[in-house]
Amino acid sequence: MGRTSGRKAVLIEAAQRAMAEHGTAVRLNQIAEQAGVTSSAVLYHYPNIEELLVDANRAGMERFYDQRMLAISGLTDPVEKLVTTIALGVPRSSDDEEVRLLCSLGGEAARNTIYAVLLTSLYDRQVGMFQAILDSGVVSGDFRLAQDSEVIARNLVALEDAYGYRIMAKHPTLDYATAVDLILDYARMATDHALPAPSRITRLSRPAHT
Amino acid sequence: MGRTSGRKAVLIEAAQRAMAEHGTAVRLNQIAEQAGVTSSAVLYHYPNIEELLVDANRAGMERFYDQRMLAISGLTDPVEKLVTTIALGVPRSSDDEEVRLLCSLGGEAARNTIYAVLLTSLYDRQVGMFQAILDSGVVSGDFRLAQDSEVIARNLVALEDAYGYRIMAKHPTLDYATAVDLILDYARMATDHALPAPSRITRLSRPAHT
DNA sequence: CAAATTGTTGAATTTGAGTTCAGGAAACTC
DNA sequence: GAGTTTCCTGAACTCAAATTCAACAATTTG
């Protein structure tokens, strides 16, 4: 059995889905239902449900981050990397379970330290990711940064976050394409590069949650 | 008696404080406690607590918006207006009850249409506010916009939102001053104006919640 | 295959929150 | 100041969710 003991991994996925659906106020029964077991079974593995939720969210963030790292790992062109990373950081629609999970947490972080720490760490890692891309673009001569790369990176992540929330709220005048354009508009200005719109292929393939 | 019948206004304020403290999963008893009455008393005025929460949040947003409009209403210089508006849109610390309320809602908006509508409306109004300031700065000759004023305005609001969340999560490397600087860095680039840091007076006075 | 371990169920119990309501206090009306 | 309206309380009730636990199934191990 794997390091998450097999069964736990199932519960974590169930918790993710249940929490994406019901938010931080998710019920034990709802998690159990998602996992296809009774609440007692969940309790057997996680006597404290808090822990399960934390594990679920940690795993969700990990995947959100890893997915993008993986997507750009094959790319060599900093321009492509930057555009792809931005395109993958914005939810395509309000159905996106990963971002929905993150949004649920955002509000809770103000009063739950663990979630605050998780989100903080995710933000910092994303900033690092963008910063590396920006810096590599400077080295390659593609980018001429108008500001410190950390400033740009922080603002890029912030924009992604904010537009994620808007898309989750089904903002009528702010769909995926618009959000990406808005972020790219900033990125273009900051990098002095006429970044192309993301290719259509990007993020069409989403791993099934089974 | 006023249009909120006096008593309701008290409950709305209590609900705001209770929700700032406990999030969207706030209990009826917690609201009652904040108001110094029993839960039955709350129910007398609001047989449906959902309504009370919606009213509370609507009022909270209204105040958040109106406060900034009021603060810049006395200013004539577009530069001052822009800087002040930005400075007032970011919470000074994680204690800011108004922003805390907004953050709680952000995550809930994905599954509660009413909150989604409220937040959407707030975002749009804030965008309009920034756009008006930007446009007036163009007319006055202070700003030379690098992008459409709507693009800049949208990104400014998005940055404020996102940094609000970070500050609420007590991000260790992202305090009030840093967040304002980051947003101003973007604004400087977008307006081609060396916007000064906000004067220290700004937002030192906060209305008591009584 | 017997024994032990692991995973799961369903029923019983507890807990806590929402809801209802009869009654009473306070303020207001005439 | 009697009557009316407004506002609020406390107790009783309801209900849903968490928790506990004895029993049982499935799987593993010797």
Side-chain angles (χ1 to χ4, degrees), chain A residues 142-159:
Chain A
D142 287 310
F143 299 155
R144 294 160 39 90
L145 303 188
Q147 304 168 327
D148 195 78
S149 70
E150 196 194 347
V151 169
I152 303 173
R154 284 185 148 191
N155 278 341
L156 284 175
V157 177
L159 288 173

Side-chain angles (χ1 to χ4, degrees), chain A residues 28 42-55 114:
Chain A
L28 170 57
V42 177
L43 248 12
Y44 173 78
H45 297 281
Y46 280 97
N48 177 10
I49 310 108
E50 284 279 321
E51 266 178 49
L52 171 55
L53 291 180
V54 171
D55 281 359
I114 301 174

